[in-house]
Amino acid sequence: GAVVSQHPSWVICKSGTSVKIECRSLDFQATTMFWYRQFPKQSLMLMATSNEGSKATYEQGVEKDKFLINHASLTLSTLTVTSAHPEDSSFYICSARDLQGVYQPQHFGDGTRLSIL
Amino acid sequence: GQQVMQIPQYQHVQEGEDFTTYCNSSTTLSNIQWYKQRPGGHPVFLIQLVKSGEVKKQKRLTFQFGEAKKNSSLHITATQTTDVGTYFCAGTPKGGSEKLVFGKGMKLTVNP
């Protein structure tokens, strides 16, 4: 149980392109989803917290107009990297929590490796 | 800001050895969670500790939450090659928002 599907796994595109990444909870309803960025050999950096039906809460230093997050249903959140540039190349990973409350574990997707040429 | 530090960052052991890795928070935590990320994979939830001084075991892994709820440890006995990966601790600062603060991880390699 508690499977999170993230799509696509890999994206290679030209500078200036916008890229949409989907995060789905397959067998549970996720009231809260999280988007992280992970640099090579480093930890998970929280970008934003997404709650179903409301605006995402972005971490300090994360541009909300650059990284658009939509959480329109209890099973789907999307992250759109707008006008991506080479410095946006990274590993993006989402996680979902199935019940409200801090004592629930986060279930992670497989991640999306984004390469901007 | 709130920080969670893990030591060591890298651990290389011989198969069969025991070792302990530590997680220290700059602030008191409501809970602490441990995740394991295999090479090329995503983090997988291992366990959660909530109570002060709590100890939980999963086969060869023993997790402990400090009395002050500011630190935690993971002890692995008789390390196996299947234990290879990066272990992250993550805590929720007490009185703060719901988000988890992740440590930088401890990368474990095992010599067979």
Side-chain angles (χ1 to χ4, degrees):
Chain A
V3 176
V4 174
S5 171
Q6 190 172 337
H7 178 81
S9 301
W10 286 85
V11 179
I12 301 174
C13 58
K14 293 181 180 179
S15 185
T17 307
S18 291
V19 178
K20 181 187 274 190
I21 303 169
E22 290 187 351
C23 181
R24 292 180 185 272
S25 56
L26 297 186
D27 51 2
F28 66 98
Q29 293 185 326
T31 53
T32 307
M33 288 185 171
F34 303 88
W35 287 95
Y36 295 87
R37 188 170 176 177
Q38 188 174 34
F39 293 99
K41 300 181 182 179
Q42 293 193 27
S43 187
L44 299 158
M45 184 191 81
L46 180 65
M47 297 174 67
T49 302
S50 169
N51 288 298
E52 184 267 336
S54 63
K55 290 184 179 179
T57 303
Y58 289 82
E59 294 300 300
Q60 194 172 10
V62 178
E63 299 175 57
K64 59 180 69 176
D65 295 328
K66 174 76 171 176
F67 300 99
L68 299 177
I69 292 172
N70 184 278
H71 191 160
S73 78
L74 284 172
T75 59
L76 173 65
S77 176
T78 60
L79 167 67
T80 301
V81 184
T82 61
S83 187
H85 289 96
E87 58 265 29
D88 299 322
S89 299
S90 191
F91 187 62
Y92 294 87
I93 191 165
C94 71
S95 71
R97 200 166 62 193
D98 59 358
L99 290 171
Q100 288 186 359
V102 300
Y103 294 168
Q104 299 302 318
Q106 294 183 22
H107 305 287
F108 286 84
D110 286 338
T112 297
R113 196 160 301 280
L114 176 62
S115 296
I116 308 298
L117 305 176
Chain B
Q2 294 143 348
Q3 289 186 344
V4 173
M5 293 150 286
Q6 286 186 249
I7 50 171
Q9 280 190 279
Y10 301 94
Q11 181 85 46
H12 181 74
V13 300
Q14 196 72 27
E15 191 172 23
E17 285 184 349
D18 301 350
F19 79 93
T20 303
T21 183
Y22 301 91
C23 176
N24 299 306
S25 170
S26 58
T27 59
T28 304
L29 302 170
S30 296
N31 66 333
I32 196 151
Q33 298 177 355
W34 284 86
Y35 293 80
K36 178 183 177 182
Q37 185 175 19
R38 292 181 185 275
H42 62 271
V44 174
F45 174 76
L46 293 178
I47 208 156
Q48 175 171 258
L49 304 168
V50 177
K51 297 177 184 176
S52 169
E54 188 171 10
V55 177
K56 286 187 177 180
K57 286 190 175 184
Q58 280 185 354
K59 297 182 180 177
R60 296 176 294 102
L61 276 61
T62 301
F63 302 85
Q64 185 167 8
F65 202 6
E67 294 290 339
K69 300 182 77 172
K70 292 181 74 173
N71 51 65
S72 180
S73 65
L74 160 59
H75 180 78
I76 302 183
T77 57
T79 309
Q80 299 178 359
T81 54
T82 52
D83 295 325
V84 162
T86 300
Y87 293 80
F88 292 98
C89 64
T92 305
K94 195 172 184 179
S97 66
E98 296 185 341
K99 64 186 180 186
L100 280 175
V101 178
F102 278 82
K104 290 190 174 182
M106 186 281 299
K107 184 176 181 180
L108 174 66
T109 53
V110 179
N111 204 24

